[in-house]
């Protein structure tokens, strides 16, 4: 078979992904092997592949591919999340574009449109993951609103309600006026914003005196039901029993006293608006104040406000400032920086709003999830997130689990016309339960709650229900074979920003319903940013389309590019040059393969000593680097594992090994390679392909099948990970000396402008007579001989490797002045280096705290530098 001059990633991707699927290499069923399981963080069903997905799913794929090679029964479960708010918004917009209003439809009619949209667009992101090479078990694909999954969500609601953990009540919630729904604290993004701090004058009743109160939200003034001061603030003690007039609406409200007010902040006077601030709400409850909701659900001013009715809240803000200025009721306006909450989904400014919602009490159910992380039953990687997790879990608030939407799992609560409530799945069950309270109850007098459950209330069950949707009603003892085999899963790869409202809640659900953790390790990726450090977004235009990158650089090139600089928990500063570097890496391997397959082989040829030495060295080097790579994997240092793999391939295999065994050219004709060296080289190449397969699966498979004829099922994707053999440290150490000799002699050739064809001699000053690598050095730098001498050698350029001196005799080619200049420069460098080492060793603080091996290394550096200085001074004396 003729080998293409350049690697074509598109052809390889089109050939091998269908091949892997055809042979079901990614399919997993329980067997006698040890499982290795990852459940995908389900992307929104509305989503398309972005750079964050690329990073997250590449890491998952690397882990699952390597686990498959290690002999585990590797199972990667894919799926999508129904994403209540985002999906409903998409469907509402689609309908609006068709001239259809959501309000003109019944719930069932709207849901038909939503399901139709989901069937048409919902699988796009999963198909895009195939382009990346994701080795998911696609037969296990789940959707959080599949009927069995939804049933499990309802089972949990009913169970937690019956346990007394779920309640319904009027509470202050984060209200999204654009999405027209409550959102949880974790779905609110706080941004620093420039706001106007308006100092408004409130007139004391029956007086010409005013109290000045500062607010950034003057549109809520109409909801004021008191003003509050600190009881210890002597400036206002005379106001006991007094009232003030609320501007705009001229409502009379009391002056109340409470320690909550900070007398040193601003004027020390607070406007109390119980319907629009959680702290004001608490003050209102304490002092039994009335509540006036000045805003409608859509963010317009309500009729209850009594002024500006129907006006948008921000338009009202501008107008009320203008009107108050005209009335002389504004003392001053300042520009300040403050944090404003925005909806993560719709980007609307959040309004604190009193609302009747369903809540889950979190304090009791959260404790096992906190203990799981603090006891390292669940490990967070990196560990820096443990304290953040601990703080959140120790200060957790009740979770608002209801959403004012139609797309999602409808809350299984039923209300009759007598004010009774029951919680159950069906209308028939509800009637049966209500008969004892209301004998006349009928389907016509029964109403189900209109709200749906928070999306996270379904996805917190993900690691459980993807394997057994009946786990909630059946319990762990009756769990199916899949759940018993695959659960707990091994690794979860996700983003730190959902540590609390997904990761923590999955641990809560796992502990509640199985007594077990849902996973062992949580690998937290960073945020993908551009090279200026900005978060990637459509609005900034700084987020490349991953599919465009794959088309340009190949899937393997992008996979390598994404992970070249992606340490766990730290943000990735993405630069497209990384993808180019990834593509160059794949081209390097392809060219190495072409070089090897281009060798002619002579079965009668004997193996030269130089090749034997190179083979021995690379066998040891491969084992050494595999130990390092395996260690990086075990510690989830993914970028380090990739970089060690990269260097093994680029430096050790391509630059040193292949250069060492490459046949000589005689009169422009490449000589044949001996069979032993050729076969060992192909075996090394196969090991290299196994090591790179998790990172560059398409390239590895393409070369694997071009090396020789194989069965269809003999694929590198399911090959065994290379075994580590005992390592000869002496061989590895000696080869490092070889590298320095080779690099130095090549530099001497370049400096002296000597032809590579001109044979040189290297003399080592020592008592030795022969080294295992002498023949290899001769080959790599074209030497006539590598010899040994106990004496100094004149008319030669000398250099040091460690404490050993080497000479390259040049006869008449040596320029004494140039050599003296070079040696003086080298002497200055070594004296400076020695001085820096001595400073360390003279520093008692360093010496007392340094580990013994660190001190030993510094002492060795000192001895080496002193030896080099002594040798250089002797050479200068000789010159």
């Amino acid at each position: 078979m003729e080998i293409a001059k350049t690697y074509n990633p598109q052809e390889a991707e089109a050939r091998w992904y269908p091949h892997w699927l055809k042979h079901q290499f990614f399919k997993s069923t329980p067997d006698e092997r040890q499982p290795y399981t990852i459940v995908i963080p389900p992307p929104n069903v509305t989503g398309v592949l972005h750079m964050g997905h690329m990073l997250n799913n590449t890491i998952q794929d690397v882990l699952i591919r390597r686990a498959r090679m290690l002999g585990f029964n590797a199972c990667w479960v894919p799926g999508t999340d129904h994403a209540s708010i985002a999906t409903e918004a998409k469907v509402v917009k689609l309908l609006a574009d068709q001239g259809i209003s959501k309000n003109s439809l019944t719930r069932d009619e709207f849901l038909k449109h939503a399901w139709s949209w989901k069937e048409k667009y919902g699988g796009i992101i999963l198909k895009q993951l195939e382009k990346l090479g994701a080795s998911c078990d696609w037969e296990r694909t789940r959707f959080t609103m599949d009927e069995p999954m939804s049933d499990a969500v309802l089972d949990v609601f009913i169970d937690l309600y019956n346990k007394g953990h779920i309640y319904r009540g009027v509470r202050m919630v984060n209200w999204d006026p654009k999405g027209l729904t409550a959102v949880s604290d974790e779905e609110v993004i706080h941004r620093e914003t420039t706001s106007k701090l308006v100092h408004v004058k409130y007139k004391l009743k029956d007086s010409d005196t005013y109290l000045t109160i500062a607010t950034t939200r003057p549109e809520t003034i109409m909801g004021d039901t008191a003003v509050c001061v600190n009881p210890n603030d002597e400036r206002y003690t005379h106001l006991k029993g007094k009232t003030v007039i609320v501007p705009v609406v001229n409502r009379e409200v009391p002056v109340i006293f409470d320690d909550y007010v900070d007398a040193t902040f601003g004027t020390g006077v607070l406007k109390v608006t119980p319907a629009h601030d959680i702290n004001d709400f608490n003050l209102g409850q304490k002092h039994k104040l009335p509540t006036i909701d000045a805003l409608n659900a859509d963010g317009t001013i309500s009729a209850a406000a009594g002024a500006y009715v129907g006006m948008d809240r921000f338009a009202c803000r501008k107008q009320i400032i203008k009107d108050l200025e005209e009335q002389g009721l504004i003392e001053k306006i300042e520009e300040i920086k403050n944090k404003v909450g925005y909806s993560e989904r719709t980007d609307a400014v959040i309004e604190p709003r009193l609302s009747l919602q369903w809540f889950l009490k979190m304090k009791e159910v959260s404790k096992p999830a906190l203990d799981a992380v603090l006891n390292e039953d669940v490990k967070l990687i990196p560990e820096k997130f443990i304290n953040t997790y601990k703080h959140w879990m120790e200060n957790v608030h009740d979770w608002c689990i209801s959403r004012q939407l139609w797309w999602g799992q409808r809350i299984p609560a039923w209300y009759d016309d007598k004010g009774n409530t029951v919680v159950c799945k069906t209308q028939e069950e509800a009637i049966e339960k209500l008969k004892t309270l209301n004998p006349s109850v009928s389907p016509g007098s029964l109403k189900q709650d209109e709200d749906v459950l928070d999306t996270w209330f379904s996805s917190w069950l993900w690691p459980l229900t993807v394997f057994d949707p009946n786990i909630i009603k059946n319990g762990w003892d009756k769990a199916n074979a899949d759940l018993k085999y695959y659960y707990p899963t091994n690794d979860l790869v996700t983003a730190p920003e959902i540590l609390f409202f997904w990761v923590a809640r999955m641990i809560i659900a796992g502990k509640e319903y199985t007594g077990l953790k849902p996973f062992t390790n949580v690998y937290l990726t960073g945020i993908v940013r551009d090279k200026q450090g900005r978060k990637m977004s459509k609005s900034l235009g700084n987020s490349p389309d991953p599919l465009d990158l794959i088309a340009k650089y190949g899937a393997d090139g992008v996979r390598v590019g994404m992970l070249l600089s992606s340490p766990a928990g730290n943000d990735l500063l993405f630069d497209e040059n990384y993808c180019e570097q990834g593509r160059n890496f794949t081209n390097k391997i392809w060219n190495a393969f072409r070089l090897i397959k281009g060798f002619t082989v002579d079965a009668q040829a004997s193996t030269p000593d130089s090749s034997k030495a190179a083979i021995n060295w690379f066998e040891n080097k491969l084992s050494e680097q595999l130990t390092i790579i395996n260690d990086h994997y075990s510690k989830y240092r993914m970028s380090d594992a990739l970089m060690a793999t990269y260097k093994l391939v680029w430096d050790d295999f391509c630059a040193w090994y292949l250069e060492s065994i490459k046949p000589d050219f005689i009169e422009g004709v490449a000589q044949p390679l001996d069979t032993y060296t050729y076969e060992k080289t192909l075996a090394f190449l196969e090991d290299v392909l196994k090591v790179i397969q998790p990172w560059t699966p398409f390239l590895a498979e393409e070369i694997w099948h071009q090396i020789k004829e194989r069965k269809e099922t003999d694929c590198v994707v399911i090959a065994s990970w290379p075994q580590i053999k005992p390592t000869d440290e002496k061989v590895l150490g000696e080869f490092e000396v070889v590298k320095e000799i080779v690099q130095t002699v090549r530099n001497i050739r370049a400096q002296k402008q000597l032809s590579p064809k001109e044979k040189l001699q290297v003399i080592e000053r020592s008592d030795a007579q022969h080294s295992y690598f002498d023949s290899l050095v001769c080959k790599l730098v074209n030497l006539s001989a590598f010899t040994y001498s106990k004496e100094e050698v004149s008319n030669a350029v000398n250099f040091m490797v460690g404490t050993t001196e080497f000479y390259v005799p040049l006869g008449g080619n040596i320029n004494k002045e140039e050599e003296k200049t070079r040696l003086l420069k080298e002497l200055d460098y070594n004296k400076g280096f020695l001085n820096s080492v001595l400073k360390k060793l003279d520093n008692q603080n360093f010496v007392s705290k340094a580990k013994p091996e660190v001190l030993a290394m510094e002492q060795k550096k000192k001895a080496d530098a002193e030896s080099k200085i002594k040798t250089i001074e002797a050479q200068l004396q000789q010159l």
Side-chain angles (χ1 to χ4, degrees):
M1 177 192 276
E2 186 179 346
I3 300 169
K5 187 176 179 181
T6 56
Y7 171 58
N8 187 320
Q10 285 73 30
E11 286 183 5
E13 290 158 21
R15 179 167 29 252
W16 295 115
Y17 201 84
H19 183 87
W20 297 330
L21 293 180
K22 174 186 172 184
H23 293 286
Q24 298 189 320
F25 291 147
F26 309 152
K27 181 181 171 69
S28 176
T29 53
D31 59 24
E32 71 285 351
R33 290 174 295 167
Q34 186 177 342
Y36 174 85
T37 317
I38 295 178
V39 292
I40 200 170
N44 286 354
V45 73
T46 60
V48 292
L49 203 63
H50 60 60
M51 297 303 286
H53 293 130
M54 289 285 285
L55 172 63
N56 184 293
N57 287 285
T58 299
I59 291 169
Q60 290 177 79
D61 197 39
V62 168
L63 291 171
I64 208 85
R65 284 176 177 276
R66 180 169 175 272
R68 200 175 281 122
M69 298 179 79
L70 287 168
F72 290 97
N73 187 350
C75 179
W76 185 12
V77 181
T80 50
D81 188 283
H82 65 275
S84 294
I85 298 175
T87 304
E88 184 146 326
K90 289 264 188 187
V91 176
V92 167
K93 184 179 184 305
L94 180 72
L95 291 171
D97 291 343
Q98 298 170 7
I100 303 171
S101 166
K102 176 189 171 184
N103 296 331
S104 69
L105 300 173
T106 65
R107 188 184 196 113
D108 287 343
E109 287 169 343
F110 176 81
L111 289 175
K112 280 182 183 176
H113 285 286
W115 278 107
S116 175
W117 183 93
K118 183 265 174 187
E119 294 307 317
K120 187 173 182 180
Y121 299 105
I124 289 175
I125 193 165
L126 298 183
K127 286 296 179 187
Q128 291 175 328
L129 285 176
E130 292 184 12
K131 293 284 187 186
L132 181 65
S135 59
C136 301
D137 182 350
W138 296 108
E139 292 180 20
R140 290 183 175 274
T141 301
R142 300 288 185 265
F143 175 54
T144 53
M145 270 182 63
D146 287 341
E147 191 172 337
M149 306 281 278
S150 285
D151 276 349
V153 174
L154 301 183
D155 288 337
V156 168
F157 183 94
I158 294 165
D159 177 66
L160 293 176
Y161 176 82
N162 291 336
K163 288 175 179 174
H165 295 318
I166 286 178
Y167 65 94
R168 191 181 189 220
V170 175
R171 295 287 185 277
M172 186 71 68
V173 297
N174 302 302
W175 186 259
D176 179 346
K178 189 174 179 182
L180 295 177
T181 182
V183 295
S184 66
D185 291 344
E186 295 76 32
E187 292 167 294
V188 179
I189 307 299
H190 292 276
R191 298 183 199 144
E192 190 173 84
T193 309
T194 301
S195 298
K196 289 182 178 179
L197 185 64
V198 186
H199 294 255
V200 182
K201 296 195 287 188
Y202 286 60
K203 189 177 185 294
L204 277 167
K205 189 185 178 188
D206 301 327
S207 168
D208 293 330
T209 308
Y210 291 85
L211 295 178
T212 301
I213 303 175
T215 178
T216 57
R217 300 167 67 209
E219 68 276 10
T220 65
I221 283 173
M222 292 84 76
D224 292 354
T225 56
V227 297
C228 188
V229 294
N230 191 299
N232 300 313
D233 192 337
E234 294 179 358
R235 293 174 295 174
Y236 303 116
T237 52
H238 66 288
L239 296 179
K240 285 181 181 175
K242 302 289 186 182
T243 58
V244 298
I245 307 301
V246 177
V248 180
V249 290
N250 296 321
R251 182 187 308 119
E252 186 178 339
V253 299
V255 178
I256 63 172
F257 293 79
D258 198 284
D259 291 333
Y260 168 73
V261 178
D262 182 354
T264 63
F265 183 78
T267 61
V269 186
L270 177 77
K271 69 192 265 321
V272 183
T273 320
H276 298 288
D277 182 272
I278 184 60
N279 297 310
D280 290 11
F281 173 74
N282 293 334
L283 279 173
Q285 294 287 295
K286 182 177 177 181
H287 293 275
K288 297 182 172 53
L289 299 173
T291 299
I292 299 170
D293 192 345
L295 293 173
N296 293 316
D298 62 357
T300 57
I301 305 302
S302 70
Y308 307 105
V309 176
M311 187 178 284
D312 175 76
R313 55 184 167 154
F314 297 120
C316 176
R317 181 179 295 180
K318 291 179 182 177
Q319 187 61 47
I320 201 170
I321 291 172
K322 183 181 176 185
D323 293 346
L324 290 172
E325 282 181 319
E326 288 176 356
Q327 295 169 35
L329 292 178
I330 290 185
E331 187 173 288
K332 63 178 178 178
I333 299 174
E334 299 176 89
E335 280 206 348
I336 63 163
K337 296 283 187 185
N338 66 329
K339 295 275 189 180
V340 175
Y342 289 80
S343 168
E344 182 187 45
R345 295 297 181 197
T346 66
D347 206 38
V349 173
I350 290 294
E351 287 291 344
R353 188 166 193 256
L354 284 175
S355 183
L356 181 61
Q357 302 285 347
W358 287 91
F359 295 87
L360 171 60
K361 297 174 186 175
M362 292 293 284
K363 191 170 183 180
E364 187 179 331
V365 296
S366 295
K367 192 175 184 309
L370 173 60
D371 293 341
V373 170
L374 296 184
N375 298 337
E376 296 190 348
D377 193 27
V378 175
K379 294 183 177 69
L380 301 186
I381 303 162
E383 292 180 347
K384 69 179 183 180
F385 288 106
I386 293 174
N387 285 336
T388 313
Y389 180 90
K390 179 174 181 285
H391 174 77
W392 188 84
M393 295 295 278
E394 288 178 342
N395 297 278
V396 69
H397 300 294
D398 288 358
W399 175 11
C400 176
I401 57 174
S402 47
R403 297 291 181 269
Q404 289 62 57
L405 302 163
W406 283 352
W407 176 250
Q409 287 92 6
R410 192 172 180 180
I411 290 174
W414 305 80
Y415 312 105
D416 68 8
D417 53 1
K418 307 290 186 186
N420 298 309
T421 303
V422 292
V423 169
C424 53
K425 277 189 183 177
T426 66
Q427 186 182 72
E428 291 74 23
E429 288 178 88
I431 289 172
E432 199 61 37
K433 285 188 169 219
L434 282 164
K435 274 182 180 176
T436 56
L437 302 169
N438 179 8
S440 63
V441 67
S442 66
S445 65
L446 200 61
K447 186 180 179 184
Q448 186 178 354
D449 198 298
E450 291 289 331
D451 293 349
V452 299
L453 287 159
D454 178 14
T455 300
W456 298 106
F457 197 82
S458 62
S459 57
W460 75 326
L461 304 177
W462 185 249
L464 293 164
T465 54
V466 294
F467 296 114
D468 185 358
N470 297 316
I471 177 62
I472 309 303
K473 59 187 175 190
N474 291 344
W476 178 252
D477 290 342
K478 295 181 181 178
N480 68 14
D482 266 16
L483 190 65
K484 290 276 190 175
Y485 181 75
Y486 292 112
Y487 189 93
T489 66
N490 295 74
D491 296 326
L492 177 75
V493 181
T494 189
E497 55 261 39
I498 58 173
L499 177 59
F500 309 120
F501 57 107
W502 190 46
V503 177
R505 289 169 180 167
M506 283 190 287
I507 302 173
I508 292 170
K511 290 288 187 177
E512 182 73 20
Y513 291 105
T514 68
L516 301 170
K517 61 189 176 184
F519 28 70
T520 300
N521 303 294
V522 181
Y523 180 99
L524 297 159
T525 66
I527 296 170
V528 183
R529 300 183 181 276
D530 65 16
K531 53 189 175 183
Q532 296 176 44
R534 301 175 302 174
K535 189 173 180 178
M536 288 188 166
S537 68
K538 287 182 182 177
S539 59
L540 287 175
N542 63 345
S543 182
D545 184 332
L547 296 182
D548 289 344
L549 291 176
I550 289 172
K552 187 174 180 180
Y553 300 104
D556 292 341
V558 177
R559 289 166 67 104
V560 171
M562 288 297 295
L563 292 174
L564 275 173
S565 62
S566 179
N570 291 336
D571 292 350
L572 182 153
L573 297 181
F574 179 77
D575 185 333
E576 199 170 314
N577 288 334
Y578 286 131
C579 293
E580 187 174 356
Q581 191 175 343
R583 181 181 62 189
N584 293 345
F585 179 61
T586 61
N587 288 339
K588 183 77 172 179
I589 301 164
W590 183 260
N591 290 336
F593 163 62
R594 288 183 69 243
L595 174 69
I596 295 165
K597 292 297 281 185
F599 295 153
T600 55
V601 181
D602 182 355
Q604 305 304 315
S606 59
T607 306
D609 289 343
S610 60
S611 292
K612 290 177 184 176
I615 289 166
N616 187 22
W617 165 73
F618 190 74
E619 278 183 335
N620 282 280
K621 191 67 178 177
L622 180 61
S623 285
E624 177 202 55
Q625 291 305 303
L626 276 171
T627 302
I628 292 168
I629 290 166
N630 288 346
D631 183 59
H632 287 320
Y633 274 117
S634 72
K635 293 170 181 170
Y636 296 87
R637 296 173 179 159
M638 304 304 288
S639 286
D640 293 341
L642 172 58
M643 190 50 68
T645 303
Y646 188 99
K647 289 178 178 176
L648 169 67
V649 174
W650 195 289
D651 297 341
D652 300 327
F653 184 67
C654 296
W656 285 104
Y657 175 74
L658 291 182
E659 191 69 21
S660 298
I661 60 95
K662 195 164 61 175
D664 291 328
F665 275 75
I666 298 177
E667 295 180 358
V669 178
Q671 300 304 293
L673 205 64
D674 64 281
T675 302
Y676 175 74
T677 301
Y678 183 68
E679 288 178 351
K680 290 296 289 185
T681 301
L682 285 179
F684 288 150
L685 176 61
E686 288 188 342
D687 278 341
V688 164
L689 294 177
K690 292 174 185 178
V691 177
I692 67 168
Q693 190 272 146
W695 309 98
T696 58
F698 295 108
L699 171 80
E701 200 70 78
E702 182 70 17
I703 296 176
W704 183 263
H705 286 271
Q706 291 207 33
I707 289 174
K708 62 184 180 184
E709 286 293 323
R710 299 180 191 270
K711 293 179 182 178
E712 276 206 355
T713 54
D714 179 5
C715 292
V716 71
V717 70
I718 54 168
S720 295
W721 187 256
Q723 293 293 310
I724 296 173
K725 298 172 183 175
T727 304
D728 188 334
E729 297 297 331
K730 185 171 181 289
V731 168
L732 292 172
E734 287 180 359
F735 195 82
E736 291 306 306
V737 175
V738 168
K739 285 182 180 179
E740 286 200 51
I741 294 170
V742 168
Q743 288 162 345
T744 305
V745 173
R746 285 174 176 170
N747 288 338
I748 290 170
R749 276 191 189 277
Q751 289 166 6
K752 305 300 179 186
Q753 296 182 328
L754 302 174
S755 167
K757 294 179 181 179
E758 183 179 342
K759 288 193 177 290
L760 300 176
Q761 180 186 7
V762 171
I763 302 168
E764 179 180 325
R765 188 177 180 185
S766 74
D767 294 334
Q769 294 182 336
H770 177 71
S771 167
Y772 183 67
F773 288 108
D774 288 355
S775 60
L776 182 54
V777 175
C778 289
K779 176 177 181 176
L780 289 172
V781 287
N782 192 21
L783 300 183
S784 58
F786 189 104
T787 58
Y788 297 82
S789 171
K790 297 178 183 178
E791 308 299 330
E792 290 182 10
V793 178
S794 57
N795 292 322
V797 174
N798 74 316
F799 60 92
M800 303 281 293
V801 177
T803 57
T804 305
E805 191 172 4
F806 296 85
Y807 300 92
V808 180
L810 294 177
N813 286 324
I814 205 156
N815 183 312
K816 290 189 176 183
E817 287 303 316
E818 283 183 4
E819 189 64 9
K820 184 178 177 181
T821 301
R822 183 184 72 81
L823 288 170
L824 285 169
K825 187 177 179 181
E826 196 174 336
L827 181 64
D828 284 344
Y829 169 78
N830 280 282
K831 283 183 175 179
F833 179 76
L834 176 61
N835 190 43
S836 68
V837 174
L838 290 172
K839 280 183 180 178
K840 270 190 181 179
L841 293 173
D842 288 340
N843 184 335
Q844 288 306 309
N845 188 41
F846 168 76
V847 172
S848 63
K849 292 180 180 178
K851 293 180 181 179
E853 58 267 29
V854 173
L855 283 176
M857 179 60 71
E858 294 302 317
Q859 291 288 359
K860 185 177 183 303
K861 287 179 184 177
K862 173 177 174 285
D864 286 352
E866 287 172 340
S867 175
K868 285 182 180 180
I869 289 168
K870 184 178 178 182
T871 301
I872 294 167
E873 286 175 338
Q875 291 165 356
L876 285 166
Q877 182 66 35
Q878 186 185 34
L879 283 172

